[in-house]
Amino acid sequence: MAPKPCFIANWKMNKGIAEAERYVKDFIKRYAETSLAPSRVIIAPPFTALQAVSKQVKCGDFEIALGAQNVHYEPHGAFTGEISAGMLCESGCQYVIIGHSERRTLFGESDEVVRQKLFAVRKAGMLPILCIGETFEDRRAGKTWDRLQAQLSAALTDDLMKMGLAENVAEWVIAYEPVWAIGTGETPKPGEVEEIHQQIQAFIRKHVGKGIPATLYGGSVSEQNILEFMEMPNIDGVLVGGASLSSETFFKLIELGVSEKQ
Ligand code: PEP
């Protein structure tokens, strides 16, 4: 059975507490005024706004899940400026984005660090939003799948399975985000993304085998292109950066995306 369409807002380093609260209030109002088919909506604000957003999303019968944009893999200790998985749980997070290309490229996070973060997230009982993506050079060299497979293999190790941390893999999210498409206005063709999603799902089926996570596309998603992506059977949703900063636009994307999957 296809998962519920899933929409993730990654605000990155944008919005303080007051702005975050206004956004969620406006978003909930729009939701209450429309009868949308069920979908999974996750908002990932900066750490400082997590608690404020978490209080709002618990209001009423409409539920937005809360995601963090990053985590440290150690549970506590002398790691100035870092936040642990336990702290995120306490702030109301159900999801954590790991392996985002901005973390990999701007902050030097290796595949090994991503693996450790995945462990920490699962041990704390949260769900990962695991981001993978090729660079433009990988793509030009015809090595897109090699890169994605390497990232998946590095994250989904046998240990994870042996420790029973991947039993609920069907509830996870994998976001395919080509590095060259993030924030650039450039996107791959929806048919290319569909093929890659099929490869990702086949990989998970073979190496984890406990169900298939929602497989999302991310990179310059907009009102103009969302329908072409959501039309593809194995694109279960989208991870949105820039276009999620306005509650009106993010809501519109969900409306369009959900209607395409009905
Ligand atoms: C992202 O940050 O993951 C992203 C997809 O950003 P944008 O939508 O701005 O390309």
Side-chain angles (χ1 to χ4, degrees):
M1 197 179 66
K4 275 195 281 191
C6 176
F7 304 86
I8 304 178
N10 175 16
W11 291 354
K12 311 192 186 190
M13 197 172 70
N14 294 290
K15 299 189 193 300
I17 295 172
E19 201 184 338
E21 283 174 345
R22 277 198 299 278
Y23 180 112
V24 177
K25 206 167 155 204
D26 178 77
F27 191 87
I28 291 175
K29 188 162 161 273
R30 286 174 195 280
Y31 208 92
E33 288 166 1
T34 330
S35 50
L36 275 188
S39 57
R40 177 153 54 144
V41 178
I42 304 166
I43 294 186
F47 290 140
T48 50
L50 281 175
Q51 252 201 308
V53 173
S54 124
K55 282 190 189 124
Q56 294 204 18
V57 297
K58 281 189 191 129
C59 289
D61 50 359
F62 168 61
E63 229 194 288
I64 305 172
L66 189 68
Q69 297 176 21
N70 189 22
V71 65
H72 193 272
Y73 49 79
E74 291 292 348
H76 45 74
F79 301 100
T80 302
E82 295 292 332
I83 307 275
S84 73
M87 294 167 186
L88 294 177
C89 272
E90 204 183 7
S91 304
C93 289
Q94 294 109 299
Y95 292 87
V96 185
I97 298 176
I98 51 181
H100 191 280
S101 78
E102 285 155 16
R103 299 294 323 167
R104 292 181 192 260
T105 50
L106 303 176
F107 301 95
E109 282 185 12
S110 62
D111 284 348
E112 171 56 16
V113 167
V114 174
R115 182 191 73 78
Q116 289 177 286
K117 289 185 174 194
L118 178 57
F119 261 80
V121 167
R122 286 300 306 121
K123 277 190 193 157
M126 292 182 291
L127 298 168
I129 298 167
L130 175 63
C131 301
I132 55 171
E134 83 285 4
T135 63
F136 190 70
E137 290 68 39
D138 295 328
R139 180 176 162 93
R140 204 170 36 195
K143 293 195 164 13
T144 296
W145 178 245
D146 291 350
R147 171 61 65 130
L148 300 177
Q149 196 174 11
Q151 290 173 341
L152 286 170
S153 307
L156 302 166
T157 54
D158 288 347
D159 281 14
L160 192 78
M161 268 66 93
K162 281 193 198 123
M163 288 171 72
L165 296 174
E167 295 296 308
N168 63 351
V169 71
E171 293 169 50
W172 301 8
V173 177
I174 305 276
Y176 166 53
E177 301 205 294
V179 177
W180 53 273
I182 296 181
T184 59
E186 304 274 322
T187 64
K189 294 200 173 67
E192 292 176 291
V193 177
E194 169 66 19
E195 262 179 47
I196 284 170
H197 281 204
Q198 287 174 13
Q199 284 175 292
I200 293 171
Q201 292 172 358
F203 181 98
I204 307 262
R205 209 171 281 121
K206 182 165 171 211
H207 295 273
V208 185
K210 304 278 179 181
I212 304 294
T215 315
L216 273 51
Y217 167 72
S220 297
V221 170
S222 67
E223 288 178 52
Q224 285 68 48
N225 62 25
I226 188 163
L227 289 178
E228 297 166 28
F229 288 112
M230 294 298 288
E231 187 172 278
M232 297 290 146
N234 292 289
I235 299 184
D236 302 315
V238 287
L239 195 165
V240 190
S244 75
L245 291 177
S246 144
S247 56
E248 186 183 356
T249 310
F250 186 51
F251 191 78
K252 184 78 198 163
L253 290 175
I254 297 172
E255 270 189 310
L256 289 167
V258 165
S259 68
E260 185 57 53
K261 288 293 184 202
Q262 274 181 322

